[in-house]
């Protein structure tokens, strides 16, 4: 996993609540057995005017000019700004994979769905929760300012606006450490392999039916 | 100190706890399907790691499998590769049980686990699928995980977790005729919203919940995730224990008594404290129909499509307007006036034998309306299909004009050939009415099996209570 320490990036606004993972990456692309290549199909049904299929050349497909990510000013965006309950629905990790493959390294929202939130951290994406009033202000600034960038400083736990205002955010200390160091969870857990073995042996005796 | 069921389940699985409360939790059962596992198996191999305990794994192919023409195999090449990749991975690493495509016990992973006794009370159950909350019906701590965590569980038999807050959702009273567990689930989501349970582990309790069958409990817990809660569960009682008894992977002989003795402790203690308690009256719940593109956009069958003009919150109002446009509906339209093109009875929410019996009872002796293009019944598993056929339910559906299909996830998410075409409207017993969920441009209305059957007969939404 790539490290996440500090990010200064162009912001793209997706001004809707309850964006579900089916919208982030539709089901037909879940047939892939790879982790990469989902970026061109991120928000597929909103980005294109036709119905996408896996394995197709997306560069030739008709684009929806009204969809925010198709607007020239948001090309190269690395930070997605959105509303509450982002990533609800299916647990598909293809959703963070698609966001990352497209180029997003952080998502700022009023709230996130639990499974999506968790999946982000496993892929080096930082999901940031900010209060609704701060988001309203950010949406207004993004709309009004072409080339609007934010700086995210994970160590200090702040999002810094171009006008210098710093917006503090919470992040779980353990997850923060993993992101900053690019640590692999599995490697960390396996440091406790002896504890797991001991627990498992006790369990096998106490509740043998679980090990049939 | 009195404990909640969640406290007990949590405590029983903690291998190690860090000072900040991050715990390493032991996983008893790992359900695996073809869509979210290939990258996990690949990751394991690339890192040179071996699975920790393959006897915890129960696997099946369900999302991509076709529901007809099984003699032709899986015609979609990309789908076939994914299913074959699961075959190869399980062949290589092993499993407690694998029910591949066409196996008589193949089916939707959340139907297959319980019916084989692979889901047992008190277990931690995970799967790379958000509807894993289904297994909470057995007093399990069960939730969906992403593919990185599938790999983590394969490699370590554990997950890193922080404890959720607890919510008791109490439904007391008696459900009316024609009102089901699905209607309880939709009514709850309508009340608390799709993010209402975010961060919570929800225990469903109260007399109306206790009087549900295991099938009904699974339907309810299945939809906990649609209320934002990864975990939804119900205390163990006689209904649970009687369901488990005698199933293939249920404890045998002397283990059975010890297991039951433990399972009897799997309830919240008198006086246990929850972070949040909500009460609903079962008597107040009517058959529900969703009108929009989120499960919280739901009304009772005798209601109307709401009017966004009356919504004060601008983000919500815009969401409603967008949903109405997508759904092709006008505000204030009576729900009963909405005509449908297709009907889907199936999915991990509502494809078990009791669901099929209930739908068949509505359909029996009647005909699917001529205006309905396709009415599908997709049993949750091969075993459900066999049982239904023994009871003659297949004949009831076929005589009425339904298609009787092979088991799988099918048109719940349309990864196989079963889908809505753009603009088509469907009465569906599945769990998500998101844009494009059942096919790009498709319009989904979530209902119970009884209400789907009633809509099939009428050609539009109808109150099943006026039919049965």
């Amino acid at each position: 996993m790539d490290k996440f320490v500090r990010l200064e990036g162009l912001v793209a606004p997706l001004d809707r609540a309850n964006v579900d993972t089916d919208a982030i990456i539709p089901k037909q692309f879940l047939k892939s057995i790879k982790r990469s290549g989902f970026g061109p199909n991120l928000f597929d049904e909103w980005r294109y005017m036709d119905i996408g299929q896996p394995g197709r050349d997306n560069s030739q497909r008709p684009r929806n000019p009204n969809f925010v990510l198709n607007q020239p000013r948001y090309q190269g965006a690395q930070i997605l700004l959105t509303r509450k309950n982002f990533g609800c629905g299916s647990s598909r990790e293809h959703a963070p994979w698609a966001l990352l493959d497209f180029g997003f390294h952080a998502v700022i929202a009023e709230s996130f769905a639990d499974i999506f939130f968790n999946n982000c951290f496993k892929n080096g994406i930082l999901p940031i929760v900010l209060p609704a009033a701060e988001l309203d202000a950010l949406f207004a600034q993004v709309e009004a300012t072409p080339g609007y960038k934010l700086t995210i400083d994970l160590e200090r736990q702040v999002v810094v606006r171009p006008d210098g205002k710093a917006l503090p955010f919470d992040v779980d200390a353990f997850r923060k450490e993993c992101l900053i160091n690019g640590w692999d969870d599995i490697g960390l857990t396996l440091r406790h392999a002896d504890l797991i073995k001991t627990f498992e042996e006790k369990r096998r005796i106490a509740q043998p039916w679980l090990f049939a | 100190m009195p404990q909640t069921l969640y406290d007990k389940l949590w405590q029983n699985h903690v291998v190690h706890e860090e000072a900040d409360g991050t715990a390493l939790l032991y996983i008893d059962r790992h359900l695996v399907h073809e869509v979210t596992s290939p990258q996990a198996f690949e990751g394991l191999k690339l890192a040179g790691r071996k699975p920790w305990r393959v006897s915890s794994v129960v696997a099946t192919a369900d999302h991509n499998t076709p529901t007809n023409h099984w003699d032709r195999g899986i015609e979609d090449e990309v789908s076939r590769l994914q299913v074959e990749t699961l075959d190869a991975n399980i062949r290589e690493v092993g499993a407690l049980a694998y029910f591949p495509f066409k196996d008589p016990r193949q089916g939707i992973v959340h139907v297959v686990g319980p019916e084989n006794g692979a889901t047992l009370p008190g277990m931690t159950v995970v799967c790379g699928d958000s509807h894993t909350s289904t297994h909470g019906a057995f007093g399990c701590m069960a939730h969906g995980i992403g593919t990185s965590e599938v790999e983590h569980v394969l490699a370590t038999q554990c997950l890193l977790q922080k404890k959720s807050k607890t919510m008791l959702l109490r439904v007391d009273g008696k459900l009316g005729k024609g009102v089901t567990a699905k209607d309880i689930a939709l009514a709850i989501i309508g009340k608390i919203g799709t993010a209402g349970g975010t961060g919570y582990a929800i225990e469903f309790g109260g007399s109306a919940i206790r009087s549900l069958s295991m099938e009904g409990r699974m339907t309810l817990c299945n939809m906990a995730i649609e209320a934002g809660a990864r975990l939804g569960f119900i205390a163990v009682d006689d209904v649970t224990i009687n369901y488990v008894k005698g199933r293939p992977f249920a404890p045998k002989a002397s283990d059975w008594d010890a297991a039951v003795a433990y399972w009897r402790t799997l309830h919240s203690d008198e006086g246990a404290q929850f972070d949040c308690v909500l009460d609903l009256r079962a008597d107040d719940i009517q058959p529900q129909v969703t009108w929009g593109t989120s499960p919280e956009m739901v009304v009772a069958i005798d209601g109307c499509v709401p009017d966004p003009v009356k919504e004060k919150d601008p983000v919500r109002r815009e969401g409603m307007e967008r949903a109405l446009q997508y759904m092709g509906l006008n505000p204030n339209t009576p729900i009963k006036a909405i005509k449908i093109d297709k009907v889907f009875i199936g999915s991990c929410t509502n494809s078990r034998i009791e669901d099929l019996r209930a739908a068949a009872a509505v359909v029996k002796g009647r005909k699917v309306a001529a205006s309905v293009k396709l009415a599908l019944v997709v049993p949750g598993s091969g075993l459900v299909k066999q049982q239904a056929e023994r009871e003659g339910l297949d004949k009831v559906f076929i005589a009425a004009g339904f298609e009787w299909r092979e088991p799988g996830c099918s048109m719940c998410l349309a990864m196989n050939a079963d889908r809505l075409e753009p603009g088509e409207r469907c009465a569906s017993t599945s769990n998500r009415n998101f844009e494009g969920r059942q096919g790009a441009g498709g319009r989904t209305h979530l209902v119970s099996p009884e209400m789907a059957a009633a809509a099939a007969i009428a050609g539009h939404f109808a109150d099943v209570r006026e039919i049965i």
Side-chain angles (χ1 to χ4, degrees):
Chain A
M1 189 173 85
D2 289 340
K3 292 179 184 180
F4 187 115
V5 183
R6 194 171 179 280
L7 171 70
E8 186 189 358
L10 188 69
V11 182
L14 184 64
D15 195 358
R16 43 174 103 187
N18 298 316
V19 173
D20 58 77
T21 53
D22 274 85
I24 297 172
I25 183 85
K27 84 280 296 190
Q28 62 269 39
F29 305 106
L30 273 51
K31 296 178 187 183
S32 167
I33 57 171
K34 304 247 171 285
R35 269 175 192 263
S36 55
F38 297 103
N41 301 109
L42 175 73
F43 300 118
D44 197 273
E45 287 181 19
W46 294 341
R47 257 167 94 190
Y48 301 98
M49 306 295 277
D50 62 351
I51 299 171
Q53 289 304 330
R56 251 181 88 180
D57 176 10
N58 297 287
S59 66
Q60 302 306 314
R61 293 175 57 199
R63 292 180 180 234
N64 174 2
N66 298 322
F67 185 60
V68 65
L69 295 186
N70 287 332
Q71 294 171 18
R73 61 183 285 197
Y74 298 120
Q75 298 315 301
Q78 290 179 286
I79 300 170
L80 185 68
L81 185 67
T82 185
R83 297 286 182 179
K84 68 173 187 181
N85 200 27
F86 187 80
C88 60
S90 159
S91 60
R92 60 189 68 169
E93 198 163 318
H94 312 68
W97 294 340
L99 286 162
L100 195 63
D101 200 55
F102 182 88
F104 287 117
H105 291 269
V107 184
I108 303 177
E110 191 183 332
S111 63
F112 292 89
D114 281 343
I115 301 177
F116 174 83
F117 187 75
N118 197 30
N119 283 341
C120 281
F121 287 99
K122 311 288 179 193
N123 291 281
I125 298 177
L126 176 61
I128 296 174
V129 176
L130 289 180
E134 302 288 11
L135 285 169
D136 286 342
L138 287 177
F139 271 105
Q141 292 193 347
V142 173
E143 301 281 342
T145 322
Y148 187 89
K149 286 187 174 182
L150 288 171
T151 301
I152 297 168
D153 185 333
L154 179 55
E155 266 170 347
R156 287 172 53 221
Q157 294 183 213
V158 285
V159 176
V160 185
R161 300 197 318 204
D163 60 11
K165 186 177 177 188
L167 314 172
F169 63 87
D170 279 336
V171 59
D172 177 85
F174 175 72
R175 284 169 158 162
K176 175 179 174 178
E177 208 182 344
C178 288
L179 276 183
I180 286 176
N181 294 292
W183 280 341
D184 158 19
D185 272 3
I186 296 178
L188 290 178
T189 297
L190 286 174
R191 289 180 313 174
H192 299 301
D194 288 345
L195 287 175
I196 302 170
K197 278 188 193 131
T198 307
F199 179 92
E200 194 169 55
E201 283 318 304
K202 280 190 193 155
R203 194 163 184 77
R204 200 184 290 274
I205 293 162
Q207 300 186 21
W209 59 88
L210 295 174
F211 295 82
Chain B
M1 204 176 108
Q3 286 185 303
T4 64
L5 173 53
Y6 181 61
D7 294 332
K8 292 181 186 179
L9 292 170
W10 178 270
Q11 207 170 32
N12 193 259
H13 291 90
V14 175
V15 172
H16 175 69
E17 200 162 348
E18 303 283 352
D20 73 346
T22 304
L24 201 54
L25 287 190
Y26 189 80
I27 303 303
D28 297 311
R29 178 66 68 229
H30 189 184
L31 302 170
V32 172
H33 64 85
E34 78 277 17
V35 180
T36 54
S37 66
Q39 298 88 348
F41 282 110
E42 186 190 46
L44 203 65
K45 206 180 291 180
L46 287 175
R49 290 173 175 137
K50 292 263 172 282
W52 185 280
R53 183 166 73 84
V54 290
S55 68
S56 69
V57 173
V58 172
T60 191
D62 54 7
H63 286 60
N64 279 279
T65 54
T67 60
N68 56 0
H69 307 306
W70 271 14
D71 52 314
R72 297 182 199 163
I74 302 174
E75 293 183 296
D76 178 331
E77 280 175 40
V78 195
S79 289
R80 189 170 65 238
L81 175 62
Q82 196 166 55
V83 172
E84 286 172 355
T85 302
L86 178 65
D87 288 341
N89 283 329
I90 298 294
R91 203 163 46 234
E92 189 179 334
V93 307
L96 174 70
Y98 179 42
F99 307 118
F101 175 48
K102 293 189 189 179
D103 185 280
R105 287 202 273 170
Q106 178 259 348
I108 306 172
V109 70
H110 307 307
V111 176
V112 165
E115 75 182 0
N116 283 288
T119 301
L120 295 173
M123 278 182 162
T124 38
V125 181
V126 296
C127 176
D129 190 286
S130 60
H131 291 110
T132 309
S133 57
T134 307
H135 308 266
F138 292 81
C140 290
M141 195 154 66
H143 64 84
I145 55 178
T147 299
S148 294
E149 289 188 322
V150 171
E151 185 180 337
H152 194 279
V153 174
L154 284 171
T156 70
Q157 210 57 43
C158 290
L159 273 183
L160 287 162
Q161 296 279 290
K162 272 229 168 133
K163 215 169 170 182
S164 302
K165 292 176 284 183
T166 53
M167 181 188 293
L168 174 62
L169 233 157
R170 211 161 29 200
V171 189
D172 279 308
K174 199 168 176 295
L175 286 176
K177 187 181 76 164
V179 183
T180 69
K182 181 65 162 284
D183 301 302
I184 301 180
L186 288 171
I188 288 171
I189 297 162
K191 187 181 166 88
I192 71 173
T194 52
T198 303
Y200 285 95
I202 300 181
E203 179 172 346
F204 298 102
S207 59
I209 305 299
R210 283 195 299 277
S211 64
L212 290 174
S213 65
M214 283 315 292
E215 284 84 353
R217 294 177 189 190
M218 283 189 257
T219 299
L220 180 59
C221 291
N222 173 278
M223 298 227 13
I225 185 66
E226 306 323 327
R230 287 194 306 166
L231 294 149
F233 43 80
I234 295 171
V236 174
D237 61 10
D238 288 341
V239 177
T240 328
I241 292 166
N242 292 338
Y243 179 96
V244 171
K245 192 165 191 177
R247 296 192 182 259
F249 294 109
K252 306 277 181 321
S254 63
D255 275 352
W256 174 257
D257 293 337
V260 169
Y262 170 61
W263 296 345
R264 294 271 181 211
T265 69
L266 297 176
H267 55 80
S268 288
D269 296 329
E270 192 70 36
Q273 294 296 308
F274 293 82
D275 296 305
C276 173
V277 179
L278 284 174
D279 282 292
L280 260 81
R281 289 294 308 170
D283 316 63
D284 296 340
I285 299 173
Q286 313 293 317
Q288 305 281 306
V289 183
T290 64
W291 56 266
T293 53
S294 162
E296 70 186 31
M297 295 173 167
V298 65
V299 288
I301 179 64
D302 52 7
C304 290
V305 174
D307 194 338
V309 169
K310 293 177 188 155
E311 175 60 52
K312 291 194 181 72
D313 177 352
V315 175
R316 277 182 71 96
R317 185 167 61 238
E318 268 175 51
M320 289 171 75
E321 282 164 354
R322 198 180 292 120
L324 289 182
Q325 190 183 7
Y326 181 86
M327 294 298 287
L329 291 173
N330 292 319
N332 307 312
T333 305
I335 295 295
K336 287 181 193 167
I338 301 172
K339 294 195 175 76
I340 55 161
D341 302 302
K342 288 184 175 171
V343 177
F344 173 60
I345 297 177
S347 87
C348 58
T349 312
N350 279 129
S351 64
R352 297 179 181 82
I353 188 66
E354 186 179 273
D355 300 315
L356 303 190
R357 285 178 191 143
V362 175
V363 162
K364 193 166 188 174
R366 297 188 172 93
K367 291 276 181 207
V368 172
S371 57
V372 173
K373 293 183 220 169
L374 177 70
L376 276 186
V377 184
V378 182
S381 71
L383 294 183
V384 170
K385 183 168 186 257
Q386 283 174 23
Q387 177 62 31
E389 289 174 355
R390 273 197 295 274
E391 297 177 19
L393 304 183
D394 56 327
K395 294 192 179 65
V396 172
F397 284 117
I398 291 166
F402 279 85
E403 291 194 19
W404 178 251
R405 295 288 187 90
E406 303 293 345
C409 299
S410 179
M411 212 162 75
C412 173
L413 86 168
M415 272 189 83
N416 68 359
D418 309 333
R419 65 176 65 122
L420 299 182
E421 298 303 324
E424 281 184 341
R425 190 179 299 286
C426 183
S428 178
T429 67
S430 54
N431 38 59
R432 291 189 174 132
N433 51 351
F434 298 153
E435 285 183 28
R437 172 76 179 183
Q438 292 192 289
R443 295 162 172 167
T444 303
H445 295 265
L446 303 176
V447 288
S448 71
E450 287 88 329
M451 286 288 287
I457 304 301
H460 53 81
F461 290 104
D463 192 336
V464 69
R465 295 171 298 186
E466 292 164 9
I467 298 176
I468 53 175

